[in-house]
Amino acid sequence: KLEQVLYAASAMGATAEEMQGARRSLSLFQHHDGVTGTAKDHVVEDYARYMHSAIDMVQEWMANSVKTRLDASSLKPCWKARAPRALGHFSCDISQPTYVFNPLPKDQTCGDTVVPAHKTVQATLPCEAAGSETEA
């Protein structure tokens, strides 16, 4: 999840300096103990706290970026985890329009709205899965 939000934030214009802490958390987790599962329980808990904090920080940056660009006052991420090792949950009302950012270099569809590449628009959910269309 952290890799996904970092990719989206970078596509929205986040600088390396703004994402430095989150990137460090991702690098820490990709250390061999985090990847192979050989870390002690307290280390895994520590990795999870770093990852959770980094995801929250990047999502907050993204929400603030969209608020600034669209002059929208109250935005929140739709996908959140309550605790570092908790499963994420979807918290938005799909019957209401939602601001959607497309970090991909090709258009995507959300409901009946086309979301242009690297743009934020208001759309209804759900969105198509990235890469769901096959190239001819």
Side-chain angles (χ1 to χ4, degrees):
K1 187 72 178 161
L2 178 54
E3 201 168 13
Q4 292 171 341
V5 294
L6 277 168
Y7 177 80
S10 294
M12 291 176 79
T15 65
E17 292 79 25
E18 290 171 316
M19 297 296 119
Q20 184 175 21
R23 290 188 188 283
R24 283 184 177 166
S25 293
L26 181 60
S27 296
L28 174 68
F29 184 75
Q30 290 175 336
H31 181 268
H32 65 89
D33 284 347
V35 173
T36 63
T38 58
K40 304 270 188 204
D41 286 346
H42 72 279
V43 174
V44 171
E45 291 291 336
D46 193 42
Y47 285 173
R49 276 191 296 280
Y50 276 105
M51 296 287 280
H52 187 257
S53 295
I55 290 169
D56 283 348
M57 187 276 297
V58 175
Q59 286 181 329
E60 183 69 25
W61 183 94
M62 292 170 71
N64 287 336
S65 176
V66 172
K67 284 179 196 176
T68 301
R69 281 192 269 157
L70 301 178
D71 196 29
S73 59
S74 63
L75 295 176
K76 64 180 178 61
C78 288
W79 189 258
K80 293 294 284 179
R82 290 186 182 98
R85 294 189 71 190
L87 293 176
H89 68 281
F90 186 80
S91 63
C92 288
D93 180 357
I94 64 170
S95 68
Q96 298 297 315
T98 303
Y99 284 104
V100 177
F101 174 71
N102 178 9
L104 302 175
K106 69 176 198 166
D107 295 351
Q108 295 287 300
T109 304
C110 290
D112 58 357
T113 304
V114 173
V115 183
H118 304 290
K119 298 292 181 194
T120 302
V121 299
Q122 200 167 26
T124 55
L125 300 175
C127 296
E128 67 181 333
S132 62
E133 294 182 32
T134 57
E135 297 287 325

